[in-house]
């Protein structure tokens, strides 16, 4: 990556993004600024919530997140891989078009 090159998810590493509990994140997409905030709860069982705002207004909310759930943030698919109480929600990128059973991509 060259100096000054913008990365859509600057806090993602190796296809994973650990959203820390109550730490706001900012993502730039299609000329708009999105704010992302994760919260982790213990009751009735450990689960997470991700709230997304755009230009200061509510945009989307994903509640009762547990490992295995999938969601979309700024056009990209993510899968929840971990929810750690009052610590973080860990997401991994979902590669569209990937077929796990056969390993064949569309067009092959």
């Amino acid at each position: 990556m060259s100096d000054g090159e913008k990365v859509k998810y600057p806090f993602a590493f190796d296809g994973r993004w650990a959203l820390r509990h109550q730490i706001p994140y900012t993502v730039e997409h299609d000329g708009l600024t999105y704010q992302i905030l994760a919260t982790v709860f213990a009751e009735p069982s450990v689960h997470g919530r991700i709230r997304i705002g755009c230009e200061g207004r509510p945009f989307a909310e994903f509640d009762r997140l547990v490992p295995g759930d999938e969601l979309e943030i700024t056009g990209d698919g993510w899968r929840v891989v971990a929810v750690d109480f009052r610590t973080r929600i860990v997401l991994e990128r979902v590669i569209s078009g990937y077929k796990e059973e056969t390993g064949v991509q569309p067009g092959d």
Side-chain angles (χ1 to χ4, degrees):
M1 178 168 45
S2 66
D3 292 338
E5 184 178 340
K6 289 192 122 186
V7 176
K8 187 174 184 181
Y9 304 102
F11 301 99
F13 182 73
D14 280 343
R16 288 193 171 200
W17 185 11
L19 294 164
R20 293 182 57 207
H21 174 74
Q22 291 295 305
I23 302 294
Y25 295 86
T26 300
V27 173
E28 301 289 329
H29 176 66
D30 286 343
L32 298 173
T33 301
Y34 293 84
Q35 302 80 32
I36 300 164
L37 184 66
T39 308
V40 182
F41 302 94
E43 298 295 331
S45 60
V46 175
H47 67 280
R49 174 188 299 145
I50 296 176
R51 289 184 173 166
I52 302 171
C54 182
E55 304 292 323
R57 291 185 302 263
F59 180 77
E61 181 175 300
F62 302 95
D63 201 1
R64 302 220 175 266
L65 294 170
V66 295
D69 286 344
E70 293 189 5
L71 57 137
E72 183 180 300
I73 299 175
T74 63
D76 298 308
W78 295 90
R79 178 179 301 112
V80 177
V81 293
V83 179
D84 301 321
F85 179 59
R86 287 202 175 155
T87 306
R88 64 190 181 161
I89 299 173
V90 180
L91 305 175
E92 71 179 357
R93 291 287 297 267
V94 175
I95 301 169
S96 63
Y98 177 75
K99 294 191 181 217
E100 189 171 326
E101 301 82 21
T102 63
V104 176
Q105 298 237 353
D108 284 351

